[in-house]
Amino acid sequence: MFRTVNIAKWKQKWMQTLLMGRTFLLLSIASAMFFIVLGLGGLLEQKLDSSPLTSMKGVAAQLSTRLFVDMLAMEMPNLPSGEGESSLTRTQIAQFLVQMATNVNLLDPKSLLAGEVPGLNREQAIPLRLGVGNQSAKGPVDYPSLPAESALPEHGGEPTDDPGGGAPPQTESVQPQAPSNTERSGSSFDLKEYVFIYHSHNRESWNPELKKESANPNDSKINVTLVGKHLQKELQKRGIGAVHSNQDYSSTIKGYSWNYSYKYSKQTVKQAMAEHQDLQFFFDIHRDALRRKDSTVEIDGTSYAQVYFVIGRANPDWRENEKFAKEIHDRLENKYPGISRGIWGKSTAQGNGEYNQSLSPNSVIMEIGGIDNTLEENYRTAEVLAELIAEIVREKTNAKPVMKPEQKEQSRQAPVQAPDRNTASRKNTQPGANG
């Protein structure tokens, strides 16, 4: 009739339930606080325009696509891992953790002192997105300005009004025809000119081509404008019209100053936009100052000059330009892994900081190769870039590949012969044809 109730046992179960509930509540609160802090940190980063290394996007930028593929391959046996050396080596993981924790690059001794010596960290660019070809996270290298110009703001400040002070050229009146220093796509191709290629530092050259050793090879004829011209021709072959400027600022501007290079080239871009209404994509092509081991990659036995994409973070809408650069970078990573050395951001502390990119969201600097690369290696990279840029331009403009002139002629002749035969047959069936 009577049952004995074990109060101690029920009390113990009740206490366990309360303990689990309290633990769950604390974990829930902690998780909520974690995501709130992450959100506030993201908002604060946008407001302060700080280094993306402090954000989750910055963490992803420091990791190559190959790393994520290898991580997935560890859990999915049927997923093939990347070719070559694994990206999950102890050395690479240790280097990544040290750099994330201390902002010191173990492969760059200067970074160890950069935080302590004033001015030493001034030229450090910020990695926005790294590529397979730049696991060491080594940024683009600029050569120093001339001693006589060292007091002037690098690539920046407004020039003086003194005619001899290197002021940028005045905007010329728009002419019906392109100026002599601008090369257009061949008229026989009937191409809309969507792409503009120019060079703020047009005399940048290469030691192997000049047959001499220099930390900053320059030449008035054998220089980076040849790469821009080759890119234009390769785009044209793929049905994309392009305009190329080979203007030599140092010989055409009175009182030329290298520090005002982007002021001069900005006038070039504005004039091109006024003369060619279809222009939507703008590429300022440079040569980096890195040595060969850091500017060259070999793919299937063929050497290519590597590419940096540089974004000016002084442009208020720089994220749009970074998005455009990412489209090219991602396609390089997919089709030609190793050519891209990533997307890097620069502020006014590292140079001009804007680089004419506020004129269009589809504007970017491409630093192709280094001082020890050959012209042939630069040409190969230009051909790869032309292939990928042509794909992007077609997607954004609905441009279609065009036929070569001989193909056009054949297509014109073929339809002409067919109607003649049809017309003859129709004439033979008319009542008066036999009369």
Side-chain angles (χ1 to χ4, degrees), residues 102-181:
T102 65
N103 203 28
V104 173
N105 186 349
L106 296 178
L107 300 181
D108 184 8
K110 189 180 75 172
S111 65
L112 184 62
L113 302 175
E116 303 299 330
V117 180
L120 190 59
N121 202 30
R122 179 178 178 271
E123 297 180 356
Q124 182 180 359
I126 296 173
L128 302 177
R129 188 170 297 274
L130 289 179
V132 173
N134 191 9
Q135 293 296 320
S136 62
K138 189 168 186 177
V141 176
D142 292 328
Y143 47 82
S145 57
L146 298 176
E149 299 177 340
S150 59
L152 297 173
E154 183 187 2
H155 300 190
E158 293 292 342
T160 61
D161 294 331
D162 182 1
Q170 298 297 320
T171 304
E172 301 177 4
S173 57
V174 178
Q175 301 295 330
Q177 297 180 352
S180 59
N181 56 21

Coordinates of all heavy atoms in Angstrom, one line a residue, residues 102-181:
T102 N 52.2 38.3 -33.6 CA 53.2 39.3 -33.3 C 53.4 40.3 -34.5 O 54.1 41.3 -34.4 CB 54.6 38.7 -33.1 OG1 55.0 38.0 -34.2 CG2 54.5 37.7 -31.9
N103 N 52.7 40.0 -35.7 CA 52.9 40.8 -36.9 C 54.4 40.9 -37.3 O 54.8 41.8 -37.9 CB 52.4 42.3 -36.7 CG 52.1 43.0 -38.0 OD1 51.7 42.3 -38.9 ND2 52.2 44.3 -38.0
V104 N 55.1 39.8 -37.0 CA 56.5 39.7 -37.4 C 56.6 38.5 -38.4 O 56.1 37.4 -38.2 CB 57.4 39.3 -36.2 CG1 58.8 39.0 -36.7 CG2 57.4 40.5 -35.2
N105 N 57.1 38.8 -39.6 CA 57.3 37.8 -40.6 C 58.7 37.2 -40.4 O 59.7 37.9 -40.6 CB 57.2 38.5 -42.0 CG 57.3 37.5 -43.1 OD1 57.6 36.3 -42.9 ND2 57.0 37.9 -44.3
L106 N 58.7 35.9 -40.1 CA 60.0 35.3 -39.9 C 60.9 35.3 -41.1 O 62.1 35.1 -40.9 CB 59.7 33.8 -39.4 CG 58.9 33.6 -38.1 CD1 58.7 32.2 -37.8 CD2 59.7 34.3 -36.9
L107 N 60.4 35.4 -42.3 CA 61.2 35.4 -43.5 C 61.6 36.8 -43.8 O 62.3 37.0 -44.8 CB 60.4 34.8 -44.6 CG 60.0 33.3 -44.4 CD1 59.3 32.8 -45.7 CD2 61.2 32.5 -44.1
D108 N 61.2 37.8 -43.1 CA 61.6 39.2 -43.3 C 62.1 39.8 -42.0 O 61.4 40.3 -41.2 CB 60.4 40.0 -43.8 CG 60.7 41.4 -44.2 OD1 61.9 41.8 -44.2 OD2 59.8 42.2 -44.4
P109 N 63.4 39.8 -41.8 CA 64.0 40.3 -40.5 C 63.7 41.7 -40.2 O 63.6 42.1 -39.1 CB 65.5 40.1 -40.8 CG 65.6 39.0 -41.8 CD 64.5 39.2 -42.7
K110 N 63.4 42.5 -41.3 CA 63.1 43.9 -41.0 C 61.8 44.1 -40.2 O 61.7 45.1 -39.5 CB 63.0 44.7 -42.4 CG 62.9 46.2 -42.2 CD 62.8 46.9 -43.5 CE 61.4 46.7 -44.2 NZ 61.2 47.5 -45.4
S111 N 60.9 43.2 -40.4 CA 59.6 43.3 -39.7 C 59.8 43.1 -38.2 O 58.9 43.6 -37.4 CB 58.7 42.2 -40.2 OG 59.1 40.9 -39.9
L112 N 60.9 42.5 -37.7 CA 61.2 42.4 -36.3 C 61.4 43.8 -35.6 O 61.0 44.0 -34.5 CB 62.4 41.5 -36.1 CG 62.7 41.1 -34.6 CD1 61.6 40.4 -34.0 CD2 64.0 40.3 -34.6
L113 N 62.0 44.7 -36.4 CA 62.3 46.0 -35.9 C 61.3 47.1 -36.3 O 61.3 48.2 -35.8 CB 63.7 46.4 -36.3 CG 64.9 45.5 -36.0 CD1 66.2 46.0 -36.6 CD2 65.1 45.5 -34.5
A114 N 60.4 46.7 -37.2 CA 59.5 47.7 -37.8 C 58.6 48.3 -36.8 O 58.3 49.5 -36.9 CB 58.6 47.0 -38.9
G115 N 58.2 47.6 -35.8 CA 57.3 48.2 -34.7 C 58.0 49.0 -33.7 O 57.4 49.8 -33.0
E116 N 59.4 49.0 -33.7 CA 60.1 49.7 -32.7 C 60.9 50.9 -33.2 O 61.1 51.9 -32.5 CB 61.2 48.7 -32.0 CG 60.5 47.5 -31.4 CD 59.6 47.8 -30.3 OE1 59.8 48.9 -29.6 OE2 58.6 47.1 -30.1
V117 N 61.3 50.9 -34.5 CA 62.0 51.9 -35.1 C 61.1 52.8 -35.9 O 60.4 52.4 -36.8 CB 63.1 51.4 -36.0 CG1 63.9 52.6 -36.6 CG2 64.0 50.5 -35.2
P118 N 60.9 54.1 -35.5 CA 60.0 55.0 -36.2 C 60.4 55.1 -37.7 O 61.5 55.3 -38.1 CB 60.2 56.4 -35.5 CG 60.7 56.0 -34.1 CD 61.6 54.8 -34.4
G119 N 59.3 55.0 -38.5 CA 59.5 55.2 -40.0 C 59.9 53.9 -40.7 O 59.8 53.8 -41.9
L120 N 60.4 52.9 -40.0 CA 60.8 51.6 -40.6 C 59.6 50.9 -41.2 O 59.8 50.2 -42.2 CB 61.6 50.8 -39.7 CG 62.3 49.6 -40.3 CD1 63.3 50.0 -41.3 CD2 63.0 48.7 -39.2
N121 N 58.5 51.0 -40.6 CA 57.3 50.3 -41.1 C 56.5 51.1 -42.0 O 55.4 50.7 -42.4 CB 56.4 49.9 -39.8 CG 55.5 48.8 -40.1 OD1 55.8 47.9 -40.9 ND2 54.4 48.7 -39.5
R122 N 57.0 52.2 -42.5 CA 56.2 53.2 -43.3 C 55.8 52.6 -44.6 O 54.7 52.8 -45.1 CB 57.0 54.4 -43.5 CG 56.4 55.5 -44.4 CD 57.3 56.7 -44.5 NE 56.6 57.7 -45.3 CZ 56.8 57.8 -46.6 NH1 57.5 56.9 -47.2 NH2 56.2 58.8 -47.3
E123 N 56.7 51.8 -45.2 CA 56.4 51.3 -46.6 C 55.7 49.9 -46.6 O 55.6 49.3 -47.6 CB 57.7 51.2 -47.4 CG 58.4 52.6 -47.5 CD 59.7 52.5 -48.3 OE1 60.1 51.4 -48.6 OE2 60.3 53.5 -48.6
Q124 N 55.2 49.5 -45.5 CA 54.6 48.1 -45.4 C 53.2 48.2 -46.0 O 52.4 48.9 -45.5 CB 54.6 47.6 -44.0 CG 54.0 46.2 -43.9 CD 54.0 45.8 -42.4 OE1 54.4 46.5 -41.5 NE2 53.5 44.6 -42.2
A125 N 53.0 47.4 -47.0 CA 51.7 47.2 -47.6 C 50.9 46.2 -46.8 O 51.5 45.4 -46.0 CB 51.8 46.8 -49.0
I126 N 49.6 46.2 -46.9 CA 48.7 45.3 -46.1 C 48.1 44.3 -47.0 O 47.5 44.5 -48.1 CB 47.6 46.1 -45.5 CG1 48.1 47.2 -44.5 CG2 46.6 45.2 -44.8 CD1 47.1 48.1 -44.0
P127 N 48.3 43.0 -46.7 CA 47.8 41.9 -47.5 C 46.3 41.8 -47.3 O 45.8 41.6 -46.2 CB 48.5 40.7 -47.0 CG 48.8 41.0 -45.6 CD 49.1 42.5 -45.5
L128 N 45.6 42.0 -48.4 CA 44.1 41.8 -48.4 C 43.7 40.4 -48.8 O 42.7 39.9 -48.4 CB 43.5 42.8 -49.4 CG 43.8 44.3 -49.1 CD1 43.1 45.2 -50.2 CD2 43.3 44.7 -47.7
R129 N 44.5 39.8 -49.6 CA 44.2 38.4 -50.1 C 45.5 37.9 -50.7 O 46.1 38.4 -51.6 CB 43.1 38.4 -51.1 CG 42.6 37.0 -51.5 CD 41.4 37.1 -52.3 NE 40.3 37.7 -51.5 CZ 39.5 37.1 -50.7 NH1 39.6 35.8 -50.6 NH2 38.5 37.8 -50.1
L130 N 46.0 36.8 -50.1 CA 47.2 36.2 -50.6 C 47.0 35.1 -51.6 O 45.8 34.5 -51.7 CB 48.0 35.6 -49.4 CG 48.7 36.6 -48.4 CD1 49.4 35.8 -47.3 CD2 49.6 37.5 -49.2
G131 N 48.0 34.8 -52.4 CA 47.9 33.7 -53.4 C 48.8 32.6 -53.1 O 49.7 32.6 -52.2
V132 N 48.6 31.5 -53.8 CA 49.5 30.3 -53.7 C 50.9 30.7 -53.9 O 51.8 30.1 -53.3 CB 49.0 29.2 -54.7 CG1 50.0 28.0 -54.7 CG2 47.6 28.7 -54.3
G133 N 51.2 31.6 -54.8 CA 52.5 32.0 -55.2 C 53.2 32.9 -54.2 O 54.3 33.4 -54.5
N134 N 52.6 33.2 -53.0 CA 53.2 34.1 -52.0 C 52.9 33.6 -50.6 O 52.3 34.3 -49.8 CB 52.7 35.5 -52.2 CG 53.4 36.5 -51.4 OD1 54.5 36.2 -50.9 ND2 52.9 37.8 -51.4
Q135 N 53.3 32.4 -50.3 CA 53.1 31.8 -49.0 C 53.8 32.6 -47.9 O 53.4 32.5 -46.7 CB 53.4 30.3 -49.0 CG 52.6 29.5 -49.9 CD 51.1 29.4 -49.4 OE1 50.8 29.4 -48.2 NE2 50.2 29.5 -50.3
S136 N 54.9 33.2 -48.2 CA 55.7 34.0 -47.2 C 55.1 35.3 -46.9 O 55.6 36.0 -46.1 CB 57.1 34.1 -47.7 OG 57.2 34.9 -48.9
A137 N 54.0 35.7 -47.6 CA 53.3 37.0 -47.3 C 54.3 38.2 -47.5 O 54.3 39.1 -46.8 CB 52.7 37.0 -46.0
K138 N 55.1 38.1 -48.6 CA 56.0 39.2 -48.9 C 55.3 40.2 -49.8 O 54.9 39.8 -50.8 CB 57.3 38.7 -49.5 CG 58.4 39.7 -49.6 CD 59.7 39.1 -50.0 CE 60.8 40.1 -50.0 NZ 62.2 39.5 -50.3
G139 N 55.3 41.4 -49.4 CA 54.6 42.4 -50.1 C 55.3 43.0 -51.2 O 56.5 42.8 -51.4
P140 N 54.7 43.9 -52.1 CA 55.4 44.5 -53.2 C 56.4 45.5 -52.7 O 56.3 46.1 -51.6 CB 54.2 45.3 -53.9 CG 53.1 45.4 -52.9 CD 53.3 44.2 -52.0
V141 N 57.5 45.6 -53.5 CA 58.6 46.5 -53.1 C 58.7 47.6 -54.0 O 58.8 47.5 -55.2 CB 59.9 45.6 -53.1 CG1 61.1 46.5 -52.8 CG2 59.8 44.5 -52.1
D142 N 58.8 48.8 -53.5 CA 59.0 50.0 -54.2 C 60.4 50.4 -54.1 O 61.1 50.3 -53.1 CB 58.1 51.2 -53.7 CG 56.6 50.9 -54.0 OD1 56.3 50.3 -55.0 OD2 55.8 51.4 -53.2
Y143 N 61.0 51.0 -55.2 CA 62.3 51.5 -55.1 C 62.2 52.9 -54.6 O 61.2 53.6 -54.8 CB 63.0 51.5 -56.5 CG 62.2 52.1 -57.6 CD1 62.1 53.4 -57.9 CD2 61.5 51.2 -58.5 CE1 61.3 53.9 -58.9 CE2 60.8 51.7 -59.5 CZ 60.7 53.0 -59.7 OH 59.9 53.5 -60.8
P144 N 63.2 53.4 -53.9 CA 63.2 54.8 -53.3 C 63.2 55.8 -54.3 O 63.7 55.6 -55.4 CB 64.4 54.8 -52.4 CG 65.3 53.9 -53.0 CD 64.5 52.7 -53.6
S145 N 62.6 57.0 -54.0 CA 62.7 58.1 -54.9 C 64.1 58.7 -55.0 O 64.9 58.4 -54.1 CB 61.7 59.2 -54.5 OG 62.0 59.6 -53.2
L146 N 64.4 59.5 -55.9 CA 65.7 60.1 -56.1 C 66.0 61.0 -54.9 O 65.1 61.6 -54.3 CB 65.8 61.0 -57.4 CG 65.6 60.2 -58.7 CD1 65.5 61.1 -59.8 CD2 66.6 59.1 -58.8
P147 N 67.3 61.1 -54.5 CA 67.6 61.9 -53.3 C 67.2 63.3 -53.4 O 66.7 63.9 -52.4 CB 69.2 61.8 -53.3 CG 69.5 60.5 -54.0 CD 68.4 60.4 -55.0
A148 N 67.2 63.9 -54.6 CA 66.8 65.3 -54.7 C 65.3 65.5 -54.5 O 64.9 66.6 -54.2 CB 67.2 65.8 -56.1
E149 N 64.6 64.4 -54.6 CA 63.1 64.5 -54.4 C 62.6 63.9 -53.1 O 61.4 63.8 -52.9 CB 62.4 63.8 -55.6 CG 62.8 64.4 -57.0 CD 62.1 63.6 -58.1 OE1 61.8 62.4 -57.9 OE2 62.0 64.2 -59.2
S150 N 63.5 63.4 -52.3 CA 63.2 62.7 -51.1 C 62.4 63.6 -50.1 O 61.6 63.0 -49.3 CB 64.4 62.2 -50.4 OG 65.3 63.3 -50.1
A151 N 62.5 64.9 -50.2 CA 61.7 65.7 -49.3 C 60.3 65.9 -49.7 O 59.4 66.4 -49.0 CB 62.4 67.1 -49.2
L152 N 59.9 65.5 -50.9 CA 58.6 65.6 -51.4 C 57.8 64.4 -51.0 O 58.3 63.3 -50.8 CB 58.6 65.7 -53.0 CG 59.3 67.0 -53.5 CD1 59.4 66.8 -55.1 CD2 58.6 68.2 -53.1
P153 N 56.5 64.5 -50.9 CA 55.6 63.4 -50.6 C 55.7 62.3 -51.7 O 55.5 62.6 -52.8 CB 54.2 64.0 -50.5 CG 54.4 65.5 -50.4 CD 55.7 65.8 -51.1
E154 N 55.9 61.1 -51.3 CA 56.1 60.0 -52.3 C 54.8 59.8 -53.1 O 53.7 59.5 -52.5 CB 56.5 58.7 -51.6 CG 56.7 57.6 -52.5 CD 56.9 56.3 -51.8 OE1 56.8 56.3 -50.6 OE2 57.1 55.3 -52.5
H155 N 54.9 59.9 -54.4 CA 53.8 59.7 -55.3 C 52.6 60.7 -55.0 O 51.6 60.5 -55.5 CB 53.3 58.3 -55.3 CG 54.3 57.3 -55.6 ND1 54.0 56.0 -55.8 CD2 55.6 57.4 -55.8 CE1 55.1 55.3 -56.1 NE2 56.1 56.1 -56.1
G156 N 52.8 61.6 -54.1 CA 51.6 62.2 -53.5 C 51.5 63.6 -53.7 O 51.5 64.2 -54.7
G157 N 51.4 64.4 -52.5 CA 51.0 65.8 -52.4 C 50.8 66.6 -53.6 O 51.5 66.3 -54.6
E158 N 50.0 67.5 -53.6 CA 49.7 68.4 -54.7 C 51.0 69.1 -55.1 O 51.7 69.7 -54.2 CB 48.6 69.4 -54.4 CG 47.3 68.7 -54.2 CD 46.7 68.1 -55.5 OE1 47.2 68.5 -56.6 OE2 45.8 67.3 -55.4
P159 N 51.3 69.2 -56.4 CA 52.5 69.9 -56.8 C 52.3 71.4 -56.7 O 51.2 71.9 -56.6 CB 52.7 69.5 -58.3 CG 51.4 69.0 -58.7 CD 50.7 68.5 -57.4
T160 N 53.4 72.1 -56.7 CA 53.3 73.6 -56.5 C 52.9 74.2 -57.9 O 52.9 73.6 -58.9 CB 54.7 74.2 -56.2 OG1 55.6 73.8 -57.2 CG2 55.2 73.6 -54.9
D161 N 52.5 75.5 -57.8 CA 52.1 76.2 -59.0 C 53.3 76.7 -59.8 O 53.1 77.2 -60.9 CB 51.3 77.4 -58.6 CG 50.0 77.0 -58.0 OD1 49.5 75.9 -58.3 OD2 49.4 77.7 -57.2
D162 N 54.5 76.5 -59.3 CA 55.7 76.9 -60.0 C 55.8 76.1 -61.3 O 55.8 74.9 -61.3 CB 56.9 76.7 -59.1 CG 58.2 77.2 -59.8 OD1 58.1 77.7 -61.0 OD2 59.3 77.1 -59.2
P163 N 56.0 76.7 -62.5 CA 56.1 76.0 -63.7 C 57.2 75.0 -63.7 O 57.2 74.0 -64.4 CB 56.3 77.0 -64.8 CG 55.7 78.3 -64.2 CD 56.0 78.2 -62.7
G164 N 58.3 75.3 -63.0 CA 59.4 74.4 -62.9 C 59.3 73.4 -61.8 O 60.3 72.6 -61.5
G165 N 58.2 73.3 -61.1 CA 58.1 72.4 -59.9 C 57.5 71.1 -60.2 O 57.1 70.4 -59.3
G166 N 57.4 70.7 -61.4 CA 56.8 69.4 -61.7 C 55.3 69.3 -61.6 O 54.8 68.3 -61.3
A167 N 54.6 70.4 -62.0 CA 53.2 70.4 -61.9 C 52.6 69.4 -63.0 O 53.2 69.2 -64.0 CB 52.6 71.8 -62.1
P168 N 51.5 68.8 -62.7 CA 50.9 67.9 -63.6 C 50.4 68.6 -64.9 O 50.1 69.8 -64.8 CB 49.7 67.2 -62.9 CG 49.4 68.2 -61.8 CD 50.7 68.9 -61.5
P169 N 50.3 67.9 -66.0 CA 50.0 68.6 -67.3 C 48.5 69.1 -67.2 O 47.7 68.5 -66.6 CB 50.1 67.5 -68.3 CG 50.0 66.2 -67.5 CD 50.5 66.5 -66.2
Q170 N 48.2 70.1 -67.9 CA 46.9 70.7 -67.9 C 46.1 69.8 -68.9 O 46.6 69.2 -69.8 CB 46.9 72.1 -68.5 CG 47.7 73.1 -67.6 CD 47.0 73.2 -66.2 OE1 45.8 73.2 -66.1 NE2 47.8 73.2 -65.2
T171 N 44.8 69.7 -68.6 CA 43.9 68.9 -69.4 C 43.8 69.5 -70.8 O 43.4 70.7 -70.9 CB 42.5 68.7 -68.8 OG1 42.7 68.2 -67.4 CG2 41.6 67.8 -69.6
E172 N 44.1 68.7 -71.8 CA 44.0 69.2 -73.2 C 42.6 69.1 -73.7 O 41.8 68.3 -73.2 CB 44.9 68.5 -74.1 CG 46.4 68.5 -73.6 CD 47.3 67.7 -74.5 OE1 46.7 67.1 -75.5 OE2 48.5 67.6 -74.2
S173 N 42.2 70.0 -74.6 CA 40.9 69.9 -75.2 C 40.7 68.6 -76.0 O 41.7 68.1 -76.6 CB 40.7 71.1 -76.2 OG 41.7 71.1 -77.2
V174 N 39.5 68.1 -75.9 CA 39.3 66.8 -76.6 C 39.3 66.9 -78.1 O 38.7 67.8 -78.7 CB 37.9 66.3 -76.1 CG1 37.6 64.9 -76.8 CG2 37.9 66.1 -74.6
Q175 N 40.1 66.1 -78.7 CA 40.3 66.1 -80.1 C 39.5 64.9 -80.7 O 39.3 63.9 -80.1 CB 41.7 65.9 -80.5 CG 42.6 67.0 -79.9 CD 42.3 68.4 -80.5 OE1 41.9 68.5 -81.7 NE2 42.5 69.4 -79.7
P176 N 39.0 65.0 -82.0 CA 38.3 64.0 -82.6 C 39.0 62.7 -82.7 O 38.5 61.6 -82.6 CB 37.9 64.5 -84.0 CG 38.2 66.0 -83.9 CD 39.2 66.2 -82.8
Q177 N 40.4 62.8 -82.9 CA 41.2 61.6 -83.0 C 42.0 61.4 -81.8 O 42.4 62.3 -81.1 CB 42.0 61.7 -84.3 CG 41.2 61.7 -85.5 CD 42.1 61.8 -86.8 OE1 43.3 62.0 -86.7 NE2 41.5 61.7 -87.9
A178 N 42.5 60.2 -81.6 CA 43.3 59.8 -80.4 C 44.6 60.5 -80.6 O 45.2 60.6 -81.6 CB 43.5 58.3 -80.3
P179 N 45.2 61.0 -79.4 CA 46.6 61.6 -79.5 C 47.6 60.5 -79.9 O 47.4 59.3 -79.9 CB 46.8 62.0 -78.1 CG 45.9 61.2 -77.2 CD 44.7 61.0 -78.1
S180 N 48.8 61.0 -80.3 CA 49.8 60.2 -80.9 C 50.3 59.1 -79.9 O 50.8 58.1 -80.2 CB 51.0 61.0 -81.4 OG 51.5 61.8 -80.4
N181 N 50.3 59.5 -78.6 CA 50.8 58.5 -77.6 C 49.8 57.5 -77.1 O 50.0 56.9 -76.1 CB 51.4 59.3 -76.4 CG 50.3 60.3 -75.8 OD1 49.1 60.1 -75.9 ND2 50.8 61.3 -75.0

